[in-house]
Amino acid sequence: MKKEEKRESWIFMPLGLFILSALVANVCAGLSGTDWYLGANVYLKGIQTILCSFSMQLFFLIAGYLYGKKKIADFGQYRSFAGKHLLKVGVFYIIWSVIYWGVKYVFGSFVEQKMTFTHLTSIFVRPIEFLWLIYAYFVVFLFVTLCIQVFEKKKRQNWLLGIFFAMLFVPLFMSVKVRALYYLMRYAFYFYVGVRFAAKKEKKEDEISITVFLLGLLFYVCLATQMGFGLGKTMLSVFSTLTGALFFFTLGYAMKDYHPSKKWICKIVWFLQETGKSAVPIYLLHVPALAAVRILLSKLGFRFEAIWLQFPLGILIGWAVPFFFYQAVKKIKWIDVLFYPDRNQLEEEI
């Protein structure tokens, strides 16, 4: 168990990068959505665009990798594992939807979007705000893992990879209004690539290093071209998303046996890994934490209109409040289960 943990603990680094990217993107979205920073909006939206171009896709790569580490021998084992896992994820999604809806309903006078009972009853087709990620994970996990059982038994893995890759381009040419289908189009490919990466028995370090370099270069070229010419959702945006997510994922893997001599690099790696270990609490609590602090400051008569203060303060609060709260309460079993309902499975995979 200890040897396995040491070998696979690298996954916390890209997981930490994912949650920090999501946090900073949400801070940018919150600030650019006001009329306080009209001069800075272009920069805030630029940062948000860059981070959103790979962060959620990176999450699904990680999720697929973790599933791929679970060796499913036959359909009976898959049915048992997937059934229990999806039940826990489904209950997890409902509980947090009720919690977040209740908080926004009670404090309705302080929030921009007021909650109604319809918001709660429609969570199975329309997730509440940032909880869409849990909903999307449920849908993608169910669909992709079922496809794996059907296609891979017939030795048609490349067919499946091609189908998922083609699905990435569907939203460019048609409007996909059903949320579940839209999430499948956007993220099924990344989940499956994560599964395939986990299944690859031999990963040569030289090949990984070259892959990291090339993906990083392609990500920069695609993103720079897209933003430089002001392009929206185009085929180029799909490739910038693809190369960005794969770059940061493989970078995390490439660094698993890297022991930097410089202390500041070690501290960055340590920070990303520790943040990754608390990714779920940070994701679930950073939005309410930011909202609560804004309300409190407003009541106290403070109004931080300086972008140089509001931006870093938002990032610090959004990370620190959930992180240290979870560190303080994670030993309380029922609270830990509230954040990680499948804790035993996660420990087995990592």
Side-chain angles (χ1 to χ4, degrees):
M1 177 66 180
K2 290 183 179 180
K3 186 180 291 185
E4 182 71 13
E5 278 189 344
K6 185 177 180 180
R7 186 171 72 247
E8 299 299 339
S9 62
W10 68 270
I11 201 70
F12 289 119
M13 182 179 169
L15 192 57
L17 181 61
F18 148 71
I19 195 62
L20 287 175
S21 299
L23 168 62
V24 176
N26 280 340
V27 171
C28 290
L31 295 177
S32 63
T34 69
D35 58 357
W36 289 4
Y37 314 106
L38 294 178
N41 273 356
V42 63
Y43 302 106
L44 292 169
K45 290 181 178 178
I47 295 172
Q48 183 185 357
T49 298
I50 293 173
L51 296 177
C52 289
S53 70
F54 68 85
S55 58
M56 296 305 167
Q57 289 78 6
L58 178 59
F59 167 79
F60 282 97
L61 278 169
I62 296 169
Y65 178 84
L66 292 178
Y67 173 77
K69 298 300 294 182
K70 180 73 177 177
K71 307 301 181 183
I72 305 294
D74 51 45
F75 187 77
Q77 185 182 0
Y78 163 75
R79 183 176 58 186
S80 175
F81 165 73
K84 292 177 183 178
H85 181 66
L86 287 174
L87 177 62
K88 291 177 181 179
V89 173
V91 173
F92 176 74
Y93 171 69
I94 294 172
I95 289 174
W96 279 99
S97 294
V98 172
I99 291 174
Y100 191 62
W101 176 87
V103 171
K104 294 203 72 173
Y105 185 82
V106 171
F107 296 98
S109 58
F110 299 105
V111 298
E112 294 180 5
Q113 182 184 2
K114 300 183 185 302
M115 290 285 110
T116 65
F117 193 67
T118 304
H119 286 95
L120 185 61
T121 57
S122 61
I123 60 173
F124 297 108
V125 292
R126 190 179 297 106
I128 298 175
E129 298 183 8
F130 65 96
L131 296 176
W132 70 266
L133 184 60
I134 307 172
Y135 180 90
Y137 172 77
F138 183 96
V139 172
V140 171
F141 180 95
L142 175 61
F143 181 77
V144 175
T145 56
L146 275 174
C147 287
I148 289 173
Q149 291 299 307
V150 174
F151 280 80
E152 295 203 347
K153 295 299 181 183
K154 298 180 179 180
K155 306 297 182 181
R156 293 176 177 172
Q157 296 96 328
N158 292 334
W159 286 29
L160 193 55
L161 185 65
I163 292 171
F164 289 148
F165 181 71
M167 287 167 58
L168 290 173
F169 298 92
V170 173
L172 297 178
F173 302 103
M174 61 181 293
S175 176
V176 184
K177 295 183 179 180
V178 179
R179 296 289 182 92
L181 289 177
Y182 178 76
Y183 297 143
L184 285 176
M185 300 296 175
R186 292 289 305 274
Y187 305 115
F189 173 79
Y190 296 96
F191 188 95
Y192 186 61
V193 169
V195 174
R196 292 285 295 270
F197 188 85
K200 188 176 175 58
K201 294 181 179 179
E202 296 184 2
K203 305 179 182 72
K204 297 180 179 179
E205 300 304 322
D206 291 342
E207 293 180 358
I208 292 293
S209 299
I210 294 173
T211 300
V212 169
F213 172 76
L214 291 177
L215 286 172
L217 180 62
L218 287 171
F219 175 56
Y220 172 78
V221 170
C222 290
L223 192 63
T225 305
Q226 178 189 351
M227 298 188 69
F229 288 94
L231 303 177
K233 292 184 178 180
T234 62
M235 295 183 70
L236 186 62
S237 67
V238 174
F239 283 109
S240 65
T241 295
L242 176 65
T243 53
L246 290 173
F247 166 70
F248 289 109
F249 181 76
T250 52
L251 178 64
Y253 181 83
M255 293 187 67
K256 70 183 181 68
D257 295 320
Y258 174 60
H259 304 288
S261 58
K262 296 186 180 297
K263 291 184 178 180
W264 66 271
I265 299 179
C266 292
K267 290 180 180 179
I268 291 175
V269 173
W270 174 84
F271 174 72
L272 288 173
Q273 290 180 336
E274 291 302 308
T275 299
K277 293 175 184 178
S278 301
V280 174
I282 293 174
Y283 185 80
L284 291 171
L285 298 179
H286 80 276
V287 173
L290 289 173
V293 170
R294 282 198 297 266
I295 293 171
L296 179 61
L297 292 176
S298 176
K299 289 295 181 182
L300 293 175
F302 292 96
R303 191 182 183 193
F304 293 105
E305 297 184 1
I307 184 66
W308 58 269
L309 182 61
Q310 182 78 343
F311 182 66
L313 186 64
I315 296 173
L316 179 61
I317 292 172
W319 174 83
V321 172
F323 180 83
F324 288 110
F325 171 79
Y326 179 66
Q327 299 306 311
V329 302
K330 66 180 181 181
K331 291 186 178 180
I332 303 175
K333 188 173 182 179
W334 70 269
I335 294 182
D336 187 57
V337 170
L338 188 62
F339 288 107
Y340 290 99
D342 220 356
R343 165 70 75 182
N344 293 335
Q345 181 58 41
L346 181 64
E347 289 178 348
E348 286 179 12
E349 291 163 352
I350 297 180

